[in-house]
Amino acid sequence: MHCFTSIQIRRHILKWQGLLGLTALASLVHVAQAQDTRNVREPVMPATCTVLLAEPSTPNRNDAPRIQTAMDNCLPGKAVHLAANNGNTAFTSGPLKFRSGVTLVVDAGVTLYASTNPLLFDRGAKTCGSNDAAGKGCQPFIAVEGVWGAGIMGEGVIDGQGGQLIEGKNESWWQIARRAQKEKQRQNVPRLIQLDKVQDFTMHRITLRNSPNFHVAMNRVDGFTAWGIRIDTPHDARNTDGIDPGASRNVTIAYSHIRTGDDNVAIKAGSNGPSENISILHNHFYSGHGMSIGSETNGGVRNVLVEDLVMDGTTSGLRIKSNDRRGGIVSGVVYRDVCLRDIRWPLYINTQYEPGPAGDLIPSYTDIRMERVHSLTPGQVILQGYDEQRPLHLALKDVVVDGNPVIKLEFAKLTGQLNAPDAQAVNCTERFVPFPQS
């Protein structure tokens, strides 16, 4: 159930009376100002309103109508369960829309598959499943818009089927995305989960697999918790970011395992406003592009805590990326107790990401701190500010990159030293673990 803070209670009390307890969120140590301002606790499963049983698979199956009806009729504070039945464990569905206060639970052993029929996701122009200049032709599989207190839980799986052939075509969602890259176009493919103007959304224990595009994309969200989730998609699946908080605040991603084909987590802030008060705690990242901020930072990113993170085989490690066409102020970012291994760019802070025509949205990175960060393999370290007037301000304490890393420093004002003689390297020996299999 959801336990709201006093601020959240005041926010919702005029909407619904007596709903204190929709999803409980884990108490984490408060460290300065650089984190989620909520008191976050591990979520608790809400009571059940409806159980839907899996039925035998048939061609062109679409379970969306019965799932949507169940969710529409569920009272706030309760959950719709998807459950196995006589050996049947699969649901296949077109787009779903969430309601305030309602949680979708996918039981252990059950998989909710996104349909491969592009017409179900099409926005009306019949472009979903094709490439063009816009790339906005598909609805997301799960749309959460303008609601509060909703969630996705359970030990089951949500599978976007990104590697399966699109119905009526000879390519998969991922293949048209790769072709779009070669042809300098944009792919029309569905995101797995899209959150817009949402308050207090919770994900707990669920596994997300094979999204055609971003797994969880957020826009103007206030209050998001992902606790103990898994995201599992191949390393070469293009644009399959794990979790992207954009223009969002009060975000906690904790105790989760993420491997994907793009950014494991990417904090973004474009024209819709800042991203702030974000905690990334006790996570493991595998294949992917790392723990990223950017590239859109023109809305401002502030008060971010990344603590107890293990990255094993990502292309980049701790990464802040932007340029003068989408840059802004990134400040109050703390990286603490981080272990890295087999990473090409273990530390990557760059103001010239994807060079192009000059713009006037200048990136500015200030009050960035790294404490007890240890890369067991060398790679390349890039620490780059924009110019002499707008340098990178970075404090280093016990930051060690083993071997002989290639180091590029440009317009960087450092407090402390990389590989300082007195640095106390974090012991990472026991912290690397295999990706957990469901």
Side-chain angles (χ1 to χ4, degrees):
M1 54 168 75
H2 296 302
C3 288
F4 299 136
T5 65
S6 59
I7 293 174
Q8 293 165 329
I9 291 170
R10 289 194 296 270
R11 179 191 297 160
H12 299 314
I13 198 166
L14 296 179
K15 290 183 179 179
W16 301 92
Q17 296 291 330
L19 273 184
L20 308 182
L22 274 180
T23 295
L25 298 176
S27 184
L28 303 174
V29 177
H30 186 78
V31 181
Q33 298 298 315
Q35 68 170 50
D36 191 335
T37 62
R38 301 172 301 159
N39 181 26
V40 180
R41 299 181 181 277
E42 182 171 6
V44 176
M45 191 86 70
T48 301
C49 64
T50 303
V51 176
L52 298 180
L53 300 178
E55 297 177 352
S57 296
T58 58
N60 304 314
R61 182 171 190 81
N62 183 12
D63 288 302
R66 67 184 183 123
I67 298 174
Q68 190 66 62
T69 298
M71 295 185 70
D72 291 348
N73 292 329
C74 191
L75 292 176
K78 295 191 175 181
V80 173
H81 279 246
L82 305 185
N85 178 39
N86 293 327
N88 300 308
T89 60
F91 294 78
T92 301
S93 175
L96 298 169
K97 294 184 178 181
F98 274 43
R99 303 293 181 234
S100 287
V102 177
T103 296
L104 179 65
V105 176
V106 184
D107 282 352
V110 173
T111 299
L112 171 61
Y113 291 99
S115 173
T116 57
N117 182 352
L119 295 178
L120 295 177
F121 298 94
D122 196 84
R123 293 188 183 274
K126 303 289 179 66
T127 58
C128 189
S130 66
N131 294 330
D132 59 21
K136 298 181 179 180
C138 299
Q139 304 175 59
F141 178 42
I142 292 175
V144 189
E145 183 174 3
V147 305
W148 61 273
I152 300 173
M153 298 186 181
E155 301 281 350
V157 175
I158 298 177
D159 193 320
Q161 300 207 90
Q164 300 300 310
L165 291 181
I166 302 168
E167 190 173 317
K169 299 181 181 292
N170 60 3
E171 293 177 295
S172 69
W173 300 113
W174 295 337
Q175 286 172 325
I176 70 167
R178 192 60 67 186
R179 180 164 57 82
Q181 182 183 33
K182 295 177 181 178
E183 297 173 355
K184 301 188 184 307
Q185 292 188 311
R186 296 184 181 274
Q187 67 271 28
N188 290 288
V189 300
R191 295 177 176 182
L192 196 67
I193 302 169
Q194 175 72 46
L195 282 67
D196 290 288
K197 301 178 183 177
V198 171
Q199 295 175 351
D200 306 315
F201 190 84
T202 301
M203 302 183 70
H204 184 232
R205 305 289 296 174
I206 195 73
T207 295
L208 308 180
R209 285 186 185 151
N210 302 325
S211 177
N213 195 254
F214 300 163
H215 288 78
V216 183
M218 301 159 54
N219 175 43
R220 289 180 282 187
V221 174
D222 187 352
F224 172 88
T225 301
W227 189 292
I229 76 168
R230 301 173 188 175
I231 297 179
D232 189 9
T233 289
H235 69 92
D236 56 353
R238 182 172 179 248
N239 296 147
T240 54
D241 292 28
I243 303 176
D244 287 2
S248 296
R249 64 190 307 269
N250 294 324
V251 172
T252 291
I253 301 168
Y255 299 101
S256 295
H257 297 75
I258 301 174
R259 62 181 180 188
T260 184
D262 210 307
D263 293 312
N264 301 74
V265 169
I267 301 168
K268 304 178 181 182
S271 58
N272 286 331
S275 284
E276 60 185 354
N277 306 334
I278 296 173
S279 298
I280 314 294
L281 307 171
H282 317 301
N283 298 292
H284 287 77
F285 294 172
Y286 302 84
S287 61
H289 294 180
M291 176 61 240
S292 298
I293 296 175
S295 59
E296 300 91 336
T297 61
N298 52 292
V301 176
R302 52 185 177 255
N303 299 341
V304 177
L305 173 64
V306 177
E307 187 166 32
D308 186 21
L309 173 62
V310 178
M311 287 188 277
D312 193 2
T314 57
T315 55
S316 295
L318 303 178
R319 178 162 78 153
I320 304 176
K321 52 177 180 174
S322 197
N323 56 44
D324 57 16
R325 300 178 306 284
R326 60 186 79 170
I329 297 174
V330 178
S331 64
V333 179
V334 177
Y335 303 99
R336 180 182 295 128
D337 289 323
V338 179
C339 290
L340 308 100
R341 181 173 70 178
D342 295 332
I343 295 173
R344 184 175 180 182
W345 296 285
L347 307 178
Y348 180 99
I349 300 179
N350 188 0
T351 57
Q352 304 292 336
Y353 180 73
E354 294 182 341
D360 58 3
L361 298 175
I362 308 301
S364 175
Y365 306 152
T366 64
D367 188 21
I368 314 298
R369 289 186 286 153
M370 295 183 182
E371 304 171 1
R372 301 192 296 277
V373 175
H374 187 189
S375 176
L376 276 61
T377 49
Q380 184 176 11
V381 172
I382 296 176
L383 303 175
Q384 178 195 58
Y386 187 77
D387 57 20
E388 290 184 357
Q389 291 71 42
R390 286 149 295 197
L392 163 67
H393 290 267
L394 172 64
L396 301 170
K397 182 180 180 182
D398 295 330
V399 178
V400 176
V401 179
D402 289 349
N404 295 300
V406 176
I407 301 174
K408 179 181 178 181
L409 294 178
E410 187 175 18
F411 306 124
K413 291 189 175 181
L414 305 184
T415 303
Q417 180 182 345
L418 179 68
N419 290 343
D422 60 347
Q424 301 291 315
V426 175
N427 184 353
C428 297
T429 306
E430 304 295 328
R431 294 178 63 181
F432 294 96
V433 297
F435 189 91
Q437 300 299 317
S438 55

